[in-house]
Each structure stands twice: as structure tokens, then as C-alpha cells.
Amino acid sequence: MRSRIVYLSVALALAANAQYLTRDGQRYIVDDMEYILVAPSSWQELTNAVERLRDIAAERWRMEHETANGRAMWHGKETNRVVTAQGITWLYRDGYTYFEAAEKVPHDRPRKARKTAPGQHAQPPRPSLPPRLAEKRKAMKSRAGRIREVNATFGPGGKVIKVEEQK
């Protein structure tokens, strides 16, 4: 009766001394383990590619978890939100939790009440206008009764089609 291998493990191995390597990807079986030898240049190329993919995946994960929609895409709908003095913790359907520190969370700060005389309503301060603009607005208010309002209809190329005076 012949024995046969039921399970075989395979590992990629760096060939420490490339002079014994006749071709890249040589296979050696030791006990029940198969080793595929790879030259240092190929080893570097393969491991660097894996590291680049890990960096890209980590950056994508970070960027998508900064927004509520991105987290919902990865973990499902938010199930709960806990607000504390330290910040906000979001809980998601799959058990994932996301914490946002308090300095990132916008706060509603109460505004100081303005002192007003009894019976007066507080009005926001009006920005001062440049002197020429203030004169122009004052002149427009003085002739408000004499201003004519006109509706004009324009056609293609800016041609005036119809003018109507409003009463």
C-alpha cells in the first residue's frame, strides 16, 4: 500500500544565497512542508507590493471612517450615540464603536445678553457704511416716491422685446 500526502503546507521563502537558485520559484519539499524559494529581488518586489496595498487600505479605512456615511457603509446603520464631556461615541450594528473627541465636536455656546433700557428691544449693531455709500442710500430714500419701476423683456442677443411700467 502506498502512502499519499493528504495535506501539504506551502511557504514562500527568501533564498539567502541566490547562487544555489537556478530559477525563481524553485520548489522544495521538507517533511510535509513545501517551500518555494524566491530570489532577493523578487522577494523585495512581492513584500513591497503587499506593504503598499496595506498602506492604501489603511488610508481608505481612515478616510471613510471620518464621516458618518462612510462608517455606515462599513458597519451598517448607527444604533446609538452616547454624548459625554469627553466627546461622542457612536455605536454601530456590527458592534463597531467610533469615538470623536470633544475638541472636534462643535459646541453651542450661550451668547451674552445685551443690556437694554426697559421697554427697548435689543437690536444687533449695524455695520457702518462707507461715507459715499451712505450718501447714495440716503438720496435713494429721499426720492423713493419718484422712482419708476419698469419690467423689461429681453430676447436672444440681449435685444429688448417689451417694456412695461409698473404702477
Side-chain angles (χ1 to χ4, degrees), residues 134-150:
E135 288 175 24
K136 187 175 182 180
R137 287 199 179 165
K138 186 177 178 183
M140 285 176 67
K141 284 183 183 178
S142 68
R143 50 187 175 136
R146 296 179 284 160
I147 296 178
R148 293 179 16 192
E149 288 188 23
V150 178

Side-chain angles (χ1 to χ4, degrees), residues 7-167:
Y7 175 76
L8 182 69
S9 295
V10 178
L12 191 64
L14 172 63
N17 194 345
Q19 71 184 20
Y20 299 114
L21 194 63
T22 57
R23 64 175 174 36
D24 217 14
Q26 277 180 265
R27 295 173 180 266
Y28 291 96
I29 297 177
V30 178
D31 294 328
D32 284 343
M33 185 75 171
E34 181 178 4
Y35 294 93
I36 301 173
L37 294 182
V38 180
S41 60
S42 298
W43 178 266
Q44 215 172 20
E45 188 179 317
L46 291 169
T47 55
N48 286 346
V50 170
E51 284 305 309
R52 280 193 305 270
L53 289 173
R54 283 184 183 162
D55 291 344
I56 291 168
E59 181 64 16
R60 180 176 176 192
W61 173 274
R62 185 194 61 74
M63 286 175 53
E64 289 183 356
H65 279 72
E66 286 179 351
T67 65
N69 288 340
R71 291 188 297 269
M73 187 174 65
W74 279 87
H75 304 288
K77 190 176 178 184
E78 147 191 342
T79 58
N80 197 3
R81 184 182 308 176
V82 179
V83 180
T84 62
Q86 290 79 24
I88 299 175
T89 303
W90 282 274
L91 306 169
Y92 289 89
R93 229 181 236 169
D94 67 349
Y96 177 79
T97 59
Y98 177 80
F99 177 75
E100 190 169 300
E103 54 265 0
K104 289 185 176 179
V105 179
H107 295 286
D108 291 334
R109 295 183 181 159
R111 296 182 183 170
K112 292 180 182 177
R114 293 195 181 133
K115 295 180 182 178
T116 58
Q120 282 186 333
H121 296 289
Q123 293 181 355
R126 297 179 82 181
S128 60
L129 296 174
R132 286 180 58 195
L133 183 58
E135 288 175 24
K136 187 175 182 180
R137 287 199 179 165
K138 186 177 178 183
M140 285 176 67
K141 284 183 183 178
S142 68
R143 50 187 175 136
R146 296 179 284 160
I147 296 178
R148 293 179 16 192
E149 288 188 23
V150 178
N151 279 346
T153 306
F154 296 93
K159 181 179 178 184
V160 177
I161 297 177
K162 178 173 66 170
V163 177
E164 296 174 346
E165 187 172 348
Q166 299 293 314
K167 294 182 183 183

